[in-house]
Amino acid sequence: AEDIPVITIDGPTASGKGTLADETAKALGFEVLDSGALYRVTGLAARRAGLDLDNGEAVAAIVPTLKLSFRDGHVFLGDEDVSARLRAEATGLLASQVAVHTPVRQALHELQLSFRRLPGLVADGRDMGTAIFPDAPLKVFLTASAATRAERRYKQLISKGISANIKGLREDLEARDERDKNRSASPLAPAQDALLLDNSALGIEESVTQVLDWWQQRRPF
Ligand code: CDP
Ligand code: CDP
């Protein structure tokens, strides 16, 4: 699989990773891996099963039993379309709780590798460049100020008809960033060879253009 190209996009919550990954993949005709969705689905399933989220072994044990499928950008657990549930901020918090455990990260490792298919993959998350695809020829670390990220998440929720409070959102995202940066298992950090992109003042199109330029320079053929 090492000869299948991968672009990794890691960074904190609401920095624009998912949007950048989707648009870059569309431009290149690549597959996408939204690794956060896997942690979200694991957190949701663990909660529904009534598991203690601090018990990493117990949470990891449910991963192989999940009947997960991905169709047209939607995530299914069995026959249930859980996509909307997964996007909820509360599910993001569940995800970050189960994501601290090494057994959970190991249980999801191979599933993530299986997304590496021709003609290539754009993978977004926290440890795509550091732990899952360390050989990726292009690694992007995407950031934006906390104020910008809270405002983006706020607008995103409001546009879906979900009520939100910008101060609460900022507190939640800063708490999640802290947990992601300070855990010992694959913490949120740029890979040594990552290129930093602060998109606080950049639109989506400009960010995609930057990544495509980098890809022209870095792609291995
Ligand atoms: O995946 P992640 O949580 O990092 O962020 P996202 O869901 O891709 O982006 C969060 C929101 O910010 C979305 O509504 C994007 O459309 C918006 N966004 C933006 O306004 N400007 C950017 N340069 C990037 C994202
Ligand atoms: O969209 P947003 O950036 O808010 O979150 P996400 O990418 O869906 O990830 C949700 C949570 O899952 C994160 O806060 C991390 O704790 C965890 N996660 C992780 O540990 N490793 C990844 N590769 C992706 C997500």
Side-chain angles (χ1 to χ4, degrees), residues 123-174:
D124 93 84
R126 301 294 183 289
D127 63 343
M128 297 296 98
T130 52
I132 307 296
F133 303 108
D135 65 325
L138 174 59
K139 300 176 185 177
V140 178
F141 195 80
L142 189 68
T143 59
S145 69
T148 304
R149 293 187 287 122
E151 196 179 306
R152 285 179 183 168
R153 191 62 95 214
Y154 177 79
K155 286 190 186 148
Q156 201 176 23
L157 291 170
I158 295 298
S159 76
K160 287 186 199 147
I162 302 167
S163 69
N165 152 332
I166 203 158
K167 188 162 164 285
L169 280 173
R170 180 162 172 171
E171 284 164 8
D172 284 355
L173 70 83
E174 286 182 324

Side-chain angles (χ1 to χ4, degrees), residues 85-140:
R85 274 265 106 234
L86 292 189
R87 292 323 309 166
E89 214 35 51
T91 313
L93 280 170
L94 292 178
S96 77
Q97 279 174 272
V98 299
V100 302
H101 304 301
T102 298
V104 172
R105 307 198 70 84
Q106 282 169 344
L108 290 171
H109 196 125
E110 240 175 87
L111 177 58
Q112 295 175 82
L113 296 181
S114 73
F115 282 77
R116 190 169 191 170
R117 289 189 292 260
L118 284 168
L121 175 68
V122 184
D124 93 84
R126 301 294 183 289
D127 63 343
M128 297 296 98
T130 52
I132 307 296
F133 303 108
D135 65 325
L138 174 59
K139 300 176 185 177
V140 178

Side-chain angles (χ1 to χ4, degrees), residues 58-76:
V59 176
I62 65 161
V63 170
T65 73
L66 298 177
K67 294 195 170 50
L68 270 183
S69 55
F70 304 87
R71 277 171 260 160
D72 310 320
H74 287 243
V75 185
F76 291 81

Side-chain angles (χ1 to χ4, degrees), residues 12 14-19 152-153 156 199 202-204:
S15 54
K17 300 180 299 299
T19 310
R152 285 179 183 168
R153 191 62 95 214
Q156 201 176 23
N199 74 356
L202 288 185
I204 292 161

Side-chain angles (χ1 to χ4, degrees), residues 23-92:
E23 294 299 316
T24 303
K26 209 187 285 168
L28 296 170
F30 282 12
E31 308 274 342
V32 268
L33 165 60
D34 170 5
S35 63
L38 304 181
Y39 288 92
R40 287 170 184 265
V41 105
T42 303
L44 182 68
R47 165 54 54 86
R48 284 180 173 181
L51 299 181
D52 171 6
L53 300 187
D54 293 328
N55 184 339
E57 297 287 348
V59 176
I62 65 161
V63 170
T65 73
L66 298 177
K67 294 195 170 50
L68 270 183
S69 55
F70 304 87
R71 277 171 260 160
D72 310 320
H74 287 243
V75 185
F76 291 81
L77 248 186
D79 292 331
E80 181 190 356
D81 182 350
V82 289
S83 312
R85 274 265 106 234
L86 292 189
R87 292 323 309 166
E89 214 35 51
T91 313

